[in-house]
């Protein structure tokens, strides 16, 4: 029998995200940039609510999606290059730029990788841990590359107006470092979270306990 987080918890999480979405949208100085950054949240959260009974996810995945959504909304409100906590980290670590966008790209690898892993394992689509890990990383990098293409198209369409959305901060290697952070996120999924993820899949009856 399929089990998942208590629906009350899931609905409460959705309400919290909705309130944060409204707040960040109201406070955002660049409304278009905010909208572009939070569009994944606007799409994904209703889908998760609609499918939580037919295709429930593991608590780990729901939790990471929740925090990823907050990262996206905060980045959209301030624009990634101007998030205050990023400046604090920049000062602590003596960095040359605000690193908040790298956190976003790390989660851009982490969450899609865990999502892909859950779908592949539950569907019994891939056998063998090495092939599973390889494909999970491929999916995460493909999503990261697609996002970079979207940034490129935004730059072509908006010109200088896309600077806040791109958040390159003058770094000519920003695209490559973004994808590297996504790869680190994907590797964290397959090397650090995989064991706990498998345990949750079995515990909640999402895969065979055998």
């Amino acid at each position: 029998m399929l089990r998942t987080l208590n629906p009350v918890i899931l609905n409460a999480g959705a309400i919290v995200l909705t309130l944060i979405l409204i707040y960040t949208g109201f406070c955002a100085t660049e409304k278009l940039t905010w909208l572009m950054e939070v569009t994944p949240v606007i799409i994904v959260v209703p889908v998760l609510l609609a499918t939580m009974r037919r295709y429930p996810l593991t608590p780990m995945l729901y939790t990471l999606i929740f925090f990823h959504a907050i990262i996206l909304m905060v980045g959209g409100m301030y624009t990634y290059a101007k998030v205050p906590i990023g400046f604090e980290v920049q000062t602590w670590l003596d960095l040359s730029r605000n690193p908040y966008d790298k956190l976003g790209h790390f989660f851009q690898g982490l969450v899609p990788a865990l999502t892909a892993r859950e779908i592949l394992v539950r569907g019994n689509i891939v056998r063998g841990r090495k092939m599973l890990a390889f494909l999970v990383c491929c999916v995460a990098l493909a999503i990261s590359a697609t996002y970079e293409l979207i940034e490129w198209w935004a730059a072509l369409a908006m010109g200088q107006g896309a600077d806040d959305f791109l958040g390159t901060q003058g770094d000519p290697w920003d695209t490559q470092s973004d994808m590297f952070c996504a790869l680190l996120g994907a590797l964290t999924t397959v090397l650090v979270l995989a064991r706990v993820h498998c345990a949750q899949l079995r515990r909640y009856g999402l895969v065979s306990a055998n």
Side-chain angles (χ1 to χ4, degrees):
M1 180 178 178
L2 295 181
R3 298 170 54 210
T4 186
L5 282 176
N6 190 314
V8 174
I9 297 176
L10 294 176
N11 287 321
I15 291 172
V16 170
L17 291 181
T18 300
L19 293 175
I20 296 174
L21 182 70
I22 294 171
Y23 174 78
T24 57
F26 179 79
C27 296
T29 55
E30 298 292 337
K31 303 297 185 185
L32 179 58
T33 299
W34 171 83
L35 180 60
M36 294 171 70
E37 298 289 5
V38 304
T39 294
V41 179
I42 296 172
I43 294 173
V44 169
V45 172
V47 170
L48 293 180
L49 289 175
T51 59
M52 66 180 179
R53 295 189 184 277
R54 297 193 308 273
Y55 197 88
L57 306 178
T58 55
M60 174 187 290
L61 184 50
Y62 277 129
T63 301
L64 290 176
I65 290 173
F66 178 84
F67 285 111
H68 191 195
I70 293 176
I71 290 170
L72 291 173
M73 291 186 286
V74 172
M77 181 175 73
Y78 291 104
T79 73
Y80 280 90
K82 301 175 184 176
V83 175
I85 193 171
F87 288 125
E88 295 292 334
V89 174
Q90 180 181 359
T91 300
W92 294 338
L93 301 180
D94 193 26
L95 302 175
S96 61
R97 54 173 288 168
N98 187 320
Y100 186 84
D101 69 315
K102 301 309 176 189
L103 174 64
H105 284 282
F106 177 83
F107 267 77
Q108 189 188 67
L110 181 75
V111 174
L114 191 63
T115 303
R117 188 179 194 280
E118 186 147 324
I119 293 171
L120 293 173
V121 172
R122 289 172 64 174
N124 199 26
I125 298 170
V126 179
R127 293 183 180 273
R129 289 180 298 177
K130 292 181 180 179
M131 179 56 68
L132 175 63
F134 173 73
L135 291 178
V136 162
C137 289
C138 285
V139 169
L141 284 176
I143 292 174
S144 178
T146 300
Y147 188 82
E148 296 302 327
L149 288 175
I150 292 172
E151 288 191 342
W152 172 47
W153 295 333
L156 293 177
M158 301 170 61
Q160 293 298 319
D163 285 350
D164 287 332
F165 177 61
L166 298 178
T168 59
Q169 302 181 62
D171 182 3
W173 304 107
D174 183 70
T175 296
Q176 290 80 2
S177 62
D178 286 349
M179 294 185 67
F180 178 69
C181 287
L183 176 60
L184 291 179
L187 290 174
T188 299
T189 289
V190 300
L191 298 177
V192 179
L193 302 181
R195 185 182 297 273
V196 177
H197 185 226
C198 284
Q200 285 199 357
L201 287 169
R202 291 191 294 270
R203 177 184 176 187
Y204 287 86
L206 302 176
V207 296
S208 172
N210 295 331

